[in-house]
Amino acid sequence: MSDVFTALQATLGGIYVNNFNLYGRTWQVNVQGEASNRGDIPDIWQIYVRNNTGQMVPIRSIASLKIVTGPQVITRYNNYRSITVNGSPAAGCLVRIGARRHGEGVRGNAAGRLRL
């Protein structure tokens, strides 16, 4: 399984190989696939992995692809999921009165829903 992840990382991202010294400096060697070979989902099927007998097999023969979407960021407060509420006073309302009403106006009920 680690060979699959290493192949995916080296081809789609980048992976550290080693360092070498040249001209009095240390250079880092990283392997990365060409950008044109990793720009689309079907490009994953061009990746090959070595099996336990030493043969190169396509990753398609041992893996499948499933697209799953979700939120990019999950905000947490005290390890509970939370939301950010932004507000501003209504037109003609003083800032200090709006701030006080904003703090007093949002209350949670037992079902976890918010009401104003």
Side-chain angles (χ1 to χ4, degrees), residues 45-64:
W45 305 132
Q46 303 301 318
I47 301 172
Y48 283 74
V49 184
R50 193 172 305 278
N51 66 8
N52 57 358
T53 61
Q55 297 175 328
M56 298 299 284
V57 296
I59 203 165
R60 176 176 278 192
S61 65
I62 57 173
S64 62

Side-chain angles (χ1 to χ4, degrees), residues 89-95 97-98 101:
C93 184
L94 296 174
V95 174
I97 295 172
R101 286 185 182 164

Side-chain angles (χ1 to χ4, degrees), residues 61-82:
S61 65
I62 57 173
S64 62
L65 181 65
K66 180 175 141 183
I67 298 174
V68 178
T69 59
Q72 291 187 3
V73 176
I74 298 176
T75 307
R76 294 191 177 271
Y77 179 77
N78 285 341
N79 212 22
Y80 291 103
R81 288 181 293 185
S82 64

